[in-house]
Amino acid sequence: MAAYKALMFDLDDTLYDFSGNWELAIRKTFQEHRLTAALDQLSAVAAFNHYSSFHWSLVHRGAISFDEYRFKRLGSALADFGIALSEVEFSDFNTFFIENNLQLICPNEADIRQMAWWSERYRLGIITNGPADLAAEKIKRLGLDGFIPEEQIVVSERTGYFKPQAEIFRCGLNRLGVQSHEAVFIGDSWKDDVEGAMGAGVDAIWLAAKEELAETADNNPQNRRPLGIIRHFSEAEQYL
């Protein structure tokens, strides 16, 4: 087996349930914030989620900043209800939404023990497509900041590169002081995490939902295989 020196992780939906937290946080925010409380909640949340996905490609292409993205997704959703969004209202809503989201992130003792064990054997890092203002706080709330310091967290907003671009994986390798063949990347996205890492010469372990497996196999004409397929990041141990 390869003598790995470093483990690199995706953050959202790999180290914690970002998608589940997102839904809970946005529902709470829409229900309780004065800007959205009177709206039909199902329709308003559906609009917000739609525009969150719709405008994400602009961020990914570097066409807009994360702050512009956050404004656009809310402004577009409210426009469907005839509401014009001001900067002051946006700032208040966004702050409330972020607070609600972060409050749902809780440490898991088993995950902390696993990361502590790995930290004694490997250099640990994060590579995430996300805003620069939240990644370190998420790691702290997960109780993992003692094993993954902020300088070992690579964030797309800071680097200007996004997964699956090879450059962002190289940034992670440089932060940890290792070569591509000495690292493993663990993440939930086939395109961004698995294909991205393998494209940078890094072995990848895919944290996959069962329903994704058949679809990915059908749409993988190059028949590229990750080092392993898991359901929880702690299961990566069997492939190291």
Side-chain angles (χ1 to χ4, degrees), residues 59-161:
V59 183
H60 210 282
R61 297 201 308 266
I64 61 174
S65 68
F66 270 95
D67 282 341
E68 290 170 325
Y69 165 68
R70 288 164 168 168
F71 186 92
K72 278 182 173 291
R73 69 188 181 189
L74 180 59
S76 297
L78 293 179
D80 285 357
F81 296 87
I83 300 172
L85 180 64
S86 71
E87 288 287 349
V88 172
E89 290 170 327
F90 159 71
S91 179
D92 189 66
F93 181 95
N94 190 61
T95 298
F96 187 43
F97 175 48
I98 289 174
E99 289 174 354
N100 286 334
N101 217 321
L102 290 175
Q103 286 175 3
L104 292 169
I105 300 176
C106 300
N108 179 288
E109 291 303 321
D111 293 347
I112 292 172
R113 287 194 299 272
Q114 179 65 64
M115 204 65 75
W117 194 87
W118 277 335
S119 71
E120 296 176 358
R121 292 157 179 80
Y122 307 100
R123 302 168 201 173
L124 305 181
I126 300 289
I127 302 177
T128 178
N129 284 350
D133 60 347
L134 295 181
E137 180 62 25
K138 290 177 179 179
I139 293 298
K140 181 178 180 180
R141 288 176 182 253
L142 287 168
L144 303 179
D145 51 317
F147 317 117
I148 309 175
E150 188 167 1
E151 60 268 22
Q152 291 169 208
I153 301 173
V154 176
V155 185
S156 59
E157 186 178 25
R158 290 198 182 104
T159 65
Y161 300 115

